């Protein structure tokens, strides 16, 4: 991800828990001609997030684009019948509370500048339930909901907020390679239609690793998102304001904003409802 944005001329601030790893990554990026630095913080410790972003601002100035995409494989995963308060709270702290604390560090400067982009990435379980990952997907779905609300609030200030759901096993021998997905992210800045087009490449890669159409919604599935503020690699969730009958769509299925000519809209990944 850092390489993808750095290749577009962005200065890169890396935030993670381990300073040594961050320094090594920043050094690699600098060797590739990308201005980068690491800032250690733990997403579950709000004070460290605040301190990290203060240091980022002192080093680089205000943040123009925030990509929030955390992962922690050490957190326990709980199936749907075994979810408890104790198993859910760490996931809420990590995903939802972590995002709130992080985004609050950049939103005021973006509002003042009347410009900015916030990208929030989760797994596809934030949209399509995965019973064996129930505590994770509860937290991810809550984060998605807050992200969509955030877009509604911040768009009046010229800030674009997008949720990106990736339904695939990534890397380590899986077909969805990190570099292929990351390369699409810089195209997701500010413009929802541009984002749909840019992330289609990532969606195609992710679909190669996903389960199959019958497990991803099947006939009759419709896009659940009410307006074009989220982009997904999931087969059924690129969003739009309205849908039109399949017979009016070009390609397998397209989501058409109100007032648009259906013939001019590229196909989306949603499946057509039965005729």
């Amino acid at each position: 991800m850092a390489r993808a944005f750095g290749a577009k001329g962005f200065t890169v601030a890396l935030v993670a828990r381990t300073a040594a790893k961050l320094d090594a990554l920043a050094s690699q990026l600098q060797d590739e001609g990308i201005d980068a630095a690491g800032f250690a913080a733990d997403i579950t410790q709000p004070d460290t997030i605040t301190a990290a972003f203060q240091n980022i601002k002192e080093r680089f100035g205000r943040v123009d684009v925030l990509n929030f995409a955390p992962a922690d494989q050490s957190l326990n995963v709980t199936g749907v019948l075994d979810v408890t308060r104790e198993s859910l709270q760490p996931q809420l702290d990590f995903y939802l509370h972590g995002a709130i604390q992080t985004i609050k560090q950049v939103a005021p400067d973006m509002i003042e500048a009347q410009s900015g982009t916030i990208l929030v990435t989760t797994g596809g379980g934030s949209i399509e339930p995965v019973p064996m990952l129930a505590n994770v997907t509860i937290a991810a779905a809550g984060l998605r909901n807050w992200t969509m609300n955030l877009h509604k609030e911040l768009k009046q200030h010229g800030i674009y907020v997008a949720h990106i759901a990736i339904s695939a096993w990534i890397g380590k021998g899986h077909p969805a390679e990190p570099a292929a997905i990351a390369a699409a992210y810089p195209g997701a800045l500010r413009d929802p239609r541009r984002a749909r087009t840019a992330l289609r490449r990532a969606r195609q890669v992710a679909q190669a690793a996903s389960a199959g159409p019958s497990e991803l919604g099947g006939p009759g599935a419709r896009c659940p998102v009410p307006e074009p503020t989220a982009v997904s690699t999931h087969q059924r969730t690129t969003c739009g304001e309205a849908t039109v009958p399949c017979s009016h769509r070009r390609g397998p299925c397209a989501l058409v904003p109100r007032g648009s000519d259906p013939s001019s809209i590229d196909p989306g990944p949603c499946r057509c409802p039965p005729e």
Side-chain angles (χ1 to χ4, degrees):
M1 196 68 67
R3 286 190 177 94
F5 279 95
K8 297 294 184 181
F10 284 89
T11 296
V12 177
L14 303 169
V15 181
R17 285 177 293 191
T18 308
K21 290 183 179 179
L22 288 170
D23 291 343
L25 291 170
S27 178
Q28 292 178 23
L29 293 171
Q30 290 165 1
D31 290 342
E32 297 170 17
I34 298 171
D35 188 6
F39 302 86
D42 186 333
I43 201 171
T44 63
Q45 298 180 21
D47 290 345
T48 68
I49 295 294
T50 300
F53 277 87
Q54 288 175 344
N55 292 333
I56 290 170
K57 189 172 181 179
E58 291 173 3
R59 172 76 178 269
F60 294 130
R62 80 173 185 90
V63 174
D64 298 304
V65 178
L66 172 69
N67 178 44
F68 182 84
D72 186 351
Q73 296 181 355
S74 70
L75 293 177
N76 290 329
V77 175
T78 306
V80 65
L81 296 178
D82 298 317
V83 173
T84 64
R85 181 185 182 93
E86 290 73 23
S87 68
L88 178 58
Q89 192 61 52
Q91 300 289 349
L92 293 173
D93 290 341
F94 185 76
Y95 284 105
L96 184 55
H97 297 158
I100 292 172
Q101 180 68 15
T102 300
I103 291 171
K104 281 186 175 181
Q105 307 309 308
V106 302
D109 285 339
M110 289 183 177
I111 291 172
E112 183 178 357
Q114 295 290 288
S115 177
T117 298
I118 298 171
L119 304 176
V120 176
T121 301
T122 69
S126 59
I127 299 173
E128 183 70 15
V130 182
M132 68 179 181
L133 305 176
N135 61 334
V136 179
T137 57
I138 290 170
L143 174 53
R144 174 181 176 270
N145 181 276
W146 183 72
T147 301
M148 306 303 287
N149 279 313
L150 192 65
H151 175 80
K152 290 179 179 293
E153 181 66 24
L154 294 182
K155 63 183 179 181
Q156 64 183 312
H157 299 291
I159 301 166
Y160 175 59
V161 184
H163 171 255
I164 302 167
I166 300 178
S167 291
W169 297 108
I170 300 174
K172 295 184 179 180
H174 297 291
E177 289 298 328
I181 294 175
Y185 269 64
L189 306 183
R190 295 189 59 79
D191 185 349
R193 292 192 184 183
R194 183 183 175 195
R196 279 201 296 273
T197 300
L199 289 176
R200 187 168 293 121
R201 290 174 296 153
R203 176 163 61 251
Q204 291 169 346
V205 173
Q207 284 176 351
S210 57
S214 64
E215 298 181 28
L216 299 179
R222 290 179 178 268
C223 177
V225 185
E227 65 175 277
T229 59
V231 181
S232 174
T233 59
H234 201 287
Q235 284 188 324
R236 59 176 289 199
T237 53
T238 295
C239 59
E241 291 183 11
T243 59
V244 294
C246 278
S247 58
H248 295 160
R249 293 173 179 163
R250 180 165 59 85
C253 186
L255 293 162
V256 183
R258 294 196 206 295
S260 299
D261 176 6
S263 65
S264 68
I265 304 299
D266 287 335
C270 288
R271 298 190 170 278
C272 296
E275 295 290 354

